[in-house]
Amino acid sequence: MADACFSTQLIDGDGVFNVTGLENFMKEVRLGECGLSYAVVSIMGPQSSGKSTLLNHLFRTNFREMDAFKGRSQTTKGIWLAKAQNIEPCTLVMDLEGTDGRERGEDDTAFEKQSALFALAVSDIVLINMWCHDIGREQAANKPLLKTVFQVMMRLFSPRKTTLLFVIRDKSRTPLENLEPILREDIQKIWDAVPKPHAHKETPLSEFFNVQVVGLSSYEEKEELFKEQVSDLRDRFQHSIAPGGLAGDRRGVVPASGFSFSSQQFWKVIKENKDLDLPAHKVMVATVRCEEIGNEKVASFIADEEWQQFEEAVQHDYYPGFGKKISSLLDRCLSEYDMEAIYFDEGVRSSKRQQLESKLLQLVNPAYQSLMGHLRTRTLEAFKESFDKALEKEGFAAAARDCTQTVLEKFDKASEDAAIQQVNWDTSKVKDKLKRDIEAHVASVRTTKLSEVCAKYEAQLTKALAEPVEALLDSASEDTWPAIRKLLQRETKAAVLGLESAVSSFELDEATEKELLAKLEKHGKSVVESKAKEEAGRVLIRMKDRFSTLFSRDADSMPRVWTGKEDIKAITKTARSASMKLLSTMAAIRLEEDGDNIENTLSLALVDASRPGTTDRSIQSSDPLASSSWETVPEEKTLITPVQCKNLWRQFKAETEYTVTQAISAQEANKRNNNWLPPPWALAAMAILGFNEFMTLLRNPLYLLVIFVVYLVGKAIWVQSEIGREFQHGFLPAILSLSTKFVPTIMNILKRLADEGQRPAGPERQREMELQPKSTRNGSYSNATSAGSSSVTTSEIGPEYSSPVAQ
């Protein structure tokens, strides 16, 4: 299928560049996809020399042709551009306005020179259309044209090598082999005559131009032959840029995507009448175009859905495979840039590629930093979890070391997975931050664990010391503080050994371990001191309890009964001495073996001061307790000051004085109760004076029976009224109590005797009485009578009465 023919006016007759038309033309012919695989052919020559006709036949374009029947006039105005059909590679054809036209006048050659310079700047092949009959003539029409071409060529600082294809029109019978040398000689003369810059004084024509000559028959007279020759010439334009082609040795080609911008800049410089610096122009075109391509790729990358998904994903969590996927996206973007910019200047292309890569990496960097932040957080959480599990199986230091090494290796692998191939971003800062976070967590857990271990052994030490110390302080003897010191040393040593073993897995430095052990030892002492201070606050209660225990109980811990035989003074002194011993024990903390004289001082001031012969004046003049501190005892070890001891002793004596007084009273009452019988002399007097009455009783047995009955009644009254027990409380209280009990007791006894008399004897009882001898019956009756009246028993606390019914 034949290519469609597209054409547009590139520059109008007034020299205005058609930017929009060129852009649309490039899109239509898809010129941007050609890279360097394209060629530009232009034609110049006198007006009405058949330039457009030649191009239309040669490249199958649709340029406007002159109508010969209307006369010779200007057909092409400005510069037109079209695409050759069915010629590879893509070939652009420019039809220039003819020279020496009457429409512009003889003196208006500015546009002629501008268009010629533009054609030389952008074209690979320039067709010079000339008449055959002008060859060899000094004033031929092609002479001004060639001068113009060579003159404007000198305005290019480094001209590109252009193929000048001279097309000899209406060739005569003279062979081309004879015409070509003459033409080349004329061309050389014109080249030599053109003024040149100093740098190109000796530069040959072949350095800038590849001159070729072709002849064509007359189109009007020999149309078929003309078309045949044009067809042959067309074949030469196939693959024209290949080595050996018409433009095989061209230089400084602008990539097809930059053709529009390059052409605009060329025409702009030409219009401003400035010299063209082709190398600088090439760099400028490459710079602008590569920058445009780079911006397009950046915009394409930003709009890429896959990149947007990655960017969104890494804002919330770590994304596995981020590095490979982003590297792939960047590589694809850079590859597209390379493909589009491959034909531009290498230095500019590489520089803009680096800028593009830098821009893309700047876009990616926030996502990468966010990813690394999530990776650091995830790694830290993984460390915490694995560390907690490892602590259940191994020691602290080993677990921290192993877990740290493991998670850092995983972090390194994840960092490699997140690494982007196009850049080597340093992850050491993130890794250092992770290490600091891990170290901080390990330090926090270490502090917590050590606190727990220390608290455990402190609690054990507290439990091992508190109650025994309290018991030892309560006993308060000379061996109390030595026993406490021994207990403290033993339990502290055991706790220190346990703590030392427990913290060995932490692999602490020597100073820290010693500090922990010293803290535990200090805690043991503080427990003892705290318990001692606590007990010192209750010393008065303890003293009273000890006094009460020793004063109210005997050596067998049995309650004392003040019978009158006890030495209350000695017992009181012993109990107070023991209380003083307790006070001296609680007066100071004695965890060191340094001796003190607290006990002697208290004994001298408190106990010995109460001995007979000691006056108040002597006590006041040498009172050892008139001080706020003890000798040889530091203030921090003092629990009770001497002045406080004195006040406590005064209060102690005041509160225990009542107990002593009660004991003395009980002893005196007991003595009185034990002496209720008459004195012995009274008993002797009664026996002497009552001798007659006693003899009277012996002579009359009836009196004895009456006395016996009275004795039984009296005994029953004694037991029922508990007279003996009442008199133990004193004489007067006993009389008052018995006065209220006497009448009820008499009535109770009479009632029981009446009940016994009315009870009938049973049949068996009567039969036994009949069978028994009389003497036996009389004895039994008397026993029953005695039993019916009363029954007397004794117990540990005295005589007790119990009735027959109860028995």
Side-chain angles (χ1 to χ4, degrees), residues 100-348:
D100 196 21
R102 65 181 179 83
E103 286 79 5
R104 289 189 180 270
E106 183 177 354
D107 298 328
D108 189 7
T109 59
F111 185 80
E112 180 181 318
K113 290 182 179 181
Q114 289 173 352
S115 60
L117 181 57
F118 180 77
L120 287 174
V122 301
S123 301
D124 300 307
I125 304 171
V126 178
L127 301 179
I128 307 296
N129 197 42
M130 59 185 304
W131 302 110
C132 180
H133 54 76
D134 284 341
I135 297 177
R137 295 169 58 187
E138 187 65 27
Q139 300 298 324
N142 63 334
K143 291 290 183 71
L145 178 61
L146 288 177
K147 286 181 181 180
T148 299
V149 170
F150 292 155
Q151 285 174 358
V152 299
M153 197 66 179
M154 292 301 99
R155 292 177 62 186
L156 303 176
F157 290 124
S158 180
R160 54 186 294 180
K161 191 168 185 179
T162 307
T163 298
L164 293 180
L165 181 58
F166 288 87
V167 181
I168 301 174
R169 303 292 297 274
D170 296 347
K171 186 176 71 70
S172 61
R173 294 181 179 180
T174 305
L176 184 61
E177 291 80 4
N178 296 334
L179 295 175
E180 185 174 351
I182 299 172
L183 179 60
R184 288 182 179 275
E185 184 179 352
D186 291 342
I187 294 172
Q188 188 63 44
K189 288 180 181 180
I190 297 172
W191 173 258
D192 293 338
V194 171
K196 304 178 186 67
H198 180 73
H200 297 295
K201 284 287 185 181
E202 304 299 329
T203 303
L205 177 66
S206 60
E207 182 68 21
F208 298 117
F209 297 105
N210 179 19
V211 179
Q212 296 191 27
V213 180
V214 63
L216 296 177
S217 299
S218 173
Y219 173 70
E220 294 179 353
E221 296 177 1
K222 300 177 181 179
E223 183 177 356
E224 294 299 326
L225 181 60
F226 174 82
K227 291 181 178 180
E228 182 179 348
Q229 291 172 345
V230 169
S231 179
D232 294 339
L233 180 59
R234 176 184 171 84
D235 293 338
R236 296 179 64 183
F237 281 92
Q238 294 287 350
H239 306 292
S240 59
I241 62 175
L246 287 175
D249 55 351
R250 63 179 181 169
R251 299 191 298 264
V253 183
V254 175
S257 61
F259 179 78
S260 174
F261 178 77
S262 176
S263 301
Q264 295 175 47
Q265 294 301 315
F266 272 140
W267 186 249
K268 179 181 178 182
V269 174
I270 291 171
K271 287 287 288 182
E272 293 173 355
N273 198 25
K274 296 179 180 179
D275 291 339
L276 285 178
D277 186 352
L278 288 186
H281 175 79
K282 180 182 178 182
V283 171
M284 184 266 294
V285 172
T287 300
V288 173
R289 184 58 190 145
C290 288
E291 188 169 347
E292 289 178 352
I293 296 173
N295 292 336
E296 291 174 2
K297 298 309 168 188
V298 170
S300 174
F301 183 84
I302 294 175
D304 188 275
E305 293 184 0
E306 192 173 0
W307 156 245
Q308 292 176 354
Q309 292 176 358
F310 290 151
E311 187 179 25
E312 179 68 20
V314 297
Q315 297 301 321
H316 303 92
D317 197 2
Y318 175 75
Y319 193 95
F322 176 85
K324 291 182 179 178
K325 294 177 181 179
I326 295 299
S327 298
S328 175
L329 289 178
L330 293 175
D331 187 62
R332 184 177 68 188
C333 187
L334 293 173
S335 297
E336 291 175 356
Y337 169 85
D338 292 338
M339 290 178 63
E340 295 187 28
I342 188 172
Y343 302 113
F344 291 102
D345 182 79
E346 182 178 358
V348 175

Side-chain angles (χ1 to χ4, degrees), residues 465 469 481 484 488 524-533 591:
L465 291 175
V469 168
W481 282 107
I484 290 176
L488 176 63
K525 292 182 179 180
S526 68
V527 170
V528 174
E529 293 175 357
S530 175
K531 184 57 65 174
K533 291 177 181 179
L591 294 180

Side-chain angles (χ1 to χ4, degrees), residues 238-459:
Q238 294 287 350
H239 306 292
S240 59
I241 62 175
L246 287 175
D249 55 351
R250 63 179 181 169
R251 299 191 298 264
V253 183
V254 175
S257 61
F259 179 78
S260 174
F261 178 77
S262 176
S263 301
Q264 295 175 47
Q265 294 301 315
F266 272 140
W267 186 249
K268 179 181 178 182
V269 174
I270 291 171
K271 287 287 288 182
E272 293 173 355
N273 198 25
K274 296 179 180 179
D275 291 339
L276 285 178
D277 186 352
L278 288 186
H281 175 79
K282 180 182 178 182
V283 171
M284 184 266 294
V285 172
T287 300
V288 173
R289 184 58 190 145
C290 288
E291 188 169 347
E292 289 178 352
I293 296 173
N295 292 336
E296 291 174 2
K297 298 309 168 188
V298 170
S300 174
F301 183 84
I302 294 175
D304 188 275
E305 293 184 0
E306 192 173 0
W307 156 245
Q308 292 176 354
Q309 292 176 358
F310 290 151
E311 187 179 25
E312 179 68 20
V314 297
Q315 297 301 321
H316 303 92
D317 197 2
Y318 175 75
Y319 193 95
F322 176 85
K324 291 182 179 178
K325 294 177 181 179
I326 295 299
S327 298
S328 175
L329 289 178
L330 293 175
D331 187 62
R332 184 177 68 188
C333 187
L334 293 173
S335 297
E336 291 175 356
Y337 169 85
D338 292 338
M339 290 178 63
E340 295 187 28
I342 188 172
Y343 302 113
F344 291 102
D345 182 79
E346 182 178 358
V348 175
R349 183 178 75 243
S350 299
S351 175
K352 295 301 178 181
R353 189 183 194 277
Q354 291 178 358
Q355 293 181 11
L356 171 62
E357 188 174 356
S358 177
K359 289 181 180 179
L360 294 176
L361 291 176
Q362 287 178 2
L363 290 173
V364 172
N365 185 261
Y368 178 78
Q369 295 299 333
S370 178
L371 178 80
M372 294 305 295
H374 290 309
L375 175 60
R376 178 180 61 82
T377 303
R378 174 178 285 197
T379 305
L380 181 61
E381 293 300 323
F383 170 80
K384 292 179 180 179
E385 183 177 353
S386 61
F387 186 48
D388 291 341
K389 293 180 179 178
L391 288 177
E392 299 175 358
K393 302 178 182 178
E394 54 185 326
F396 184 90
R401 186 167 49 250
D402 295 343
C403 291
T404 301
Q405 182 178 358
T406 302
V407 299
L408 289 180
E409 289 176 356
K410 291 182 178 179
F411 176 83
D412 291 338
K413 291 181 180 178
S415 298
E416 293 176 1
D417 180 68
I420 298 174
Q421 297 176 359
Q422 288 77 8
V423 66
N424 184 23
W425 278 325
D426 186 16
T427 60
S428 60
K429 291 184 178 180
V430 181
K431 187 174 182 179
D432 291 341
K433 180 65 168 60
L434 174 62
K435 288 181 179 179
R436 291 195 298 271
D437 292 342
I438 291 176
E439 290 173 357
H441 179 70
V442 170
S444 175
V445 175
R446 181 189 296 111
T447 302
T448 303
K449 294 294 183 181
L450 286 176
S451 298
E452 292 176 356
V453 172
C454 292
K456 173 185 175 182
Y457 282 94
E458 286 178 0

Side-chain angles (χ1 to χ4, degrees), residues 463-594:
K463 184 177 180 181
L465 291 175
E467 294 182 0
V469 168
E470 182 177 355
L472 288 171
L473 291 174
D474 188 32
S475 63
S477 64
E478 295 180 356
D479 297 332
T480 295
W481 282 107
I484 290 176
R485 287 196 295 270
K486 185 176 180 181
L487 173 67
L488 176 63
Q489 292 175 358
R490 183 178 71 250
E491 297 299 336
T492 301
K493 182 177 180 181
V496 166
L497 290 176
L499 179 60
E500 187 175 9
S501 175
V503 301
S504 61
S505 63
F506 289 85
E507 298 182 6
L508 302 174
D509 56 90
E510 186 176 355
T512 303
E513 185 172 347
K514 286 183 177 179
E515 182 180 355
L516 291 177
L517 299 180
K519 182 180 177 183
L520 182 60
E521 293 177 353
K522 185 177 179 181
H523 175 75
K525 292 182 179 180
S526 68
V527 170
V528 174
E529 293 175 357
S530 175
K531 184 57 65 174
K533 291 177 181 179
E534 181 181 341
E535 292 299 317
R538 299 197 295 261
V539 66
L540 182 60
I541 298 174
R542 297 290 190 187
M543 290 169 64
K544 291 191 294 183
D545 290 343
R546 173 165 293 192
F547 177 84
S548 177
T549 300
L550 296 178
F551 187 80
S552 301
R553 294 182 178 271
D554 56 17
D556 296 329
S557 297
M558 297 299 294
R560 276 186 206 278
V561 178
W562 303 106
T563 62
K565 298 178 181 179
E566 296 83 4
D567 186 355
I568 294 180
K569 184 177 181 180
I571 295 173
T572 302
K573 182 178 181 180
T574 301
R576 286 180 175 175
S577 297
S579 298
M580 187 276 297
K581 172 73 72 173
L582 176 61
L583 179 62
S584 67
T585 302
M586 299 303 303
I589 298 173
R590 301 176 180 87
L591 294 180
E592 287 76 22
E593 296 184 0
D594 301 334

